[in-house]
Amino acid sequence: MERSRIAVTGSTGLIGTALVRSLRADGHEVRPMVRRPARTVHEIEWDPHRGYVDVSRLAGCDAVVHLAGAGVGDHRWTAAYKKEIRDSRVLGTAAVAEAVASLDTPPRVLVSGSAIGFYGDTGDRAVDEDAPPGDGFLPSVCEEWEAATAAAEEAGVRTVHARTGLVVASGGGAWGRLFPLFKAGLGGRLGDGLQYWSFIALHDHVAALRHLLDTEECTGPVNLTAPEPVTNAVVTAAMGRVLHRPTVFTAPAPALRLALGEFASDVLGSQRVVPRRLLDSGFSFAFPGIEDAIRAALRR
């Protein structure tokens, strides 16, 4: 992509921070979208719950990357927090899409976050972007989340739904919690360990987002996962090897359900998701294997 002006929601999160750093390093102008009054001319104020975006500052942007949303694993899934998970995604995405559509000259592309939670529990069955949605809370949220970009699509903006897997990084997400446990020698399998984890190195996730911005044929849902998902038992063994720590502990499924409530189904569920559209569009992974992804996370 030539030097561009790119608006980014969720710019202070795990992925957003890395993406903004990467874009700025290559000379792009990044305009963070912030949920407070803008402090500089480069910031864009927005309020996802009120459906407000300062479109005067969004004007002139070549692309929008929408990553904002309440953390799925940050709190126990009470009715109130499930509503926050849904509203932060659906209302926020609708606000961004409608703002984009309202511009006289809209951006060329909207890359909007989504998740492999769309597919639900797939067991040991590999699925790609043509698979239907699964059953349950997260698949229903993902369906609404992706549908909320309709205004941008109807305005002719190329729209991509980046269905993110488990990001391997030391600074946050699932692995941000796993690394301290494994470093302390307290890591181990979750449940029977047979559930598939569709992971992606943070470096590759950022590179994939940039690929989606640049690649005209990429549209609709695109899975952002490494080419070969692995089971939780394989992840556990790889963490032990890389960190030189024992992995003898096991978190039994009943204990996880007691501790995590409904979110335990996401931890214990199996998602064997492959990135067919990403690979077909010519993307190359720097860290396709789980050990490589873990080592890359530790170097950052």
Side-chain angles (χ1 to χ4, degrees):
M1 178 185 286
E2 296 178 356
R3 289 189 178 182
S4 302
R5 179 180 296 167
I6 304 168
V8 181
T9 75
S11 62
T12 60
L14 172 68
I15 297 167
T17 298
L19 175 64
V20 168
R21 183 188 306 119
S22 173
L23 290 169
R24 284 178 171 161
D26 285 342
H28 298 290
E29 179 188 335
V30 177
R31 292 203 165 183
M33 294 178 65
V34 297
R35 287 172 286 182
R36 53 166 172 74
R39 294 173 183 158
T40 73
V41 295
H42 296 292
E43 292 183 338
I44 302 168
E45 182 182 354
W46 79 304
D47 185 329
H49 290 280
R50 288 196 295 118
Y52 169 75
V53 177
D54 184 348
V55 292
S56 66
R57 293 195 176 185
L58 188 62
C61 287
D62 303 293
V64 177
V65 182
H66 174 44
L67 302 173
V72 171
D74 291 358
H75 300 277
R76 192 178 181 88
W77 282 7
T78 62
Y81 196 67
K82 286 171 72 173
K83 184 176 186 301
E84 174 63 19
I85 289 172
R86 178 199 171 278
D87 287 354
S88 67
R89 287 162 172 74
V90 178
L91 300 182
T93 301
V96 170
E98 289 164 11
V100 162
S102 74
L103 295 170
D104 291 336
T105 304
R108 296 192 304 270
V109 57
L110 166 62
V111 176
S112 186
S114 186
I116 62 169
F118 176 92
Y119 304 105
D121 191 331
T122 74
D124 61 1
R125 175 175 55 93
V127 298
D128 63 18
E129 292 87 351
D130 290 334
D135 298 318
F137 173 65
L138 287 181
S140 68
V141 168
C142 288
E143 279 195 276
E144 290 186 77
W145 190 4
E146 295 184 6
T149 62
E153 295 173 62
E154 290 166 6
V157 176
R158 180 170 66 88
T159 302
V160 187
H161 303 289
R163 291 179 180 167
T164 298
L166 295 169
V167 178
V168 186
S170 59
W175 257 269
R177 298 182 181 188
L178 290 178
F179 276 122
L181 289 173
F182 277 84
K183 287 177 179 179
L186 301 175
R189 288 187 290 109
L190 300 178
D192 61 17
L194 298 179
Q195 66 272 32
Y196 275 88
W197 280 19
S198 296
F199 69 92
I200 184 168
L202 178 59
H203 176 280
D204 283 332
H205 194 286
V206 170
L209 288 174
R210 296 195 55 174
H211 178 80
L212 297 179
L213 288 171
D214 293 344
T215 308
E216 289 295 326
E217 62 264 32
C218 287
T219 187
V222 180
N223 295 331
L224 269 59
T225 59
E228 296 291 339
V230 294
T231 65
N232 173 255
V234 171
V235 170
T236 299
M239 290 283 281
R241 286 193 299 272
V242 172
L243 295 171
H244 306 292
R245 293 290 188 276
T247 56
V248 297
F249 291 93
T250 299
L256 285 169
R257 291 191 179 96
L258 182 64
L260 300 177
E262 190 177 349
F263 179 57
S265 62
D266 198 48
V267 173
L268 295 167
S270 182
Q271 293 191 305
R272 191 175 184 180
V273 179
V274 294
R276 180 179 59 82
R277 291 187 180 175
L278 197 58
L279 292 170
D280 287 351
S281 68
F283 182 77
S284 296
F285 287 83
F287 306 104
I290 186 60
E291 281 200 29
D292 289 338
I294 292 169
R295 294 183 191 280
L298 292 172
R299 288 197 294 270
R300 293 184 70 89

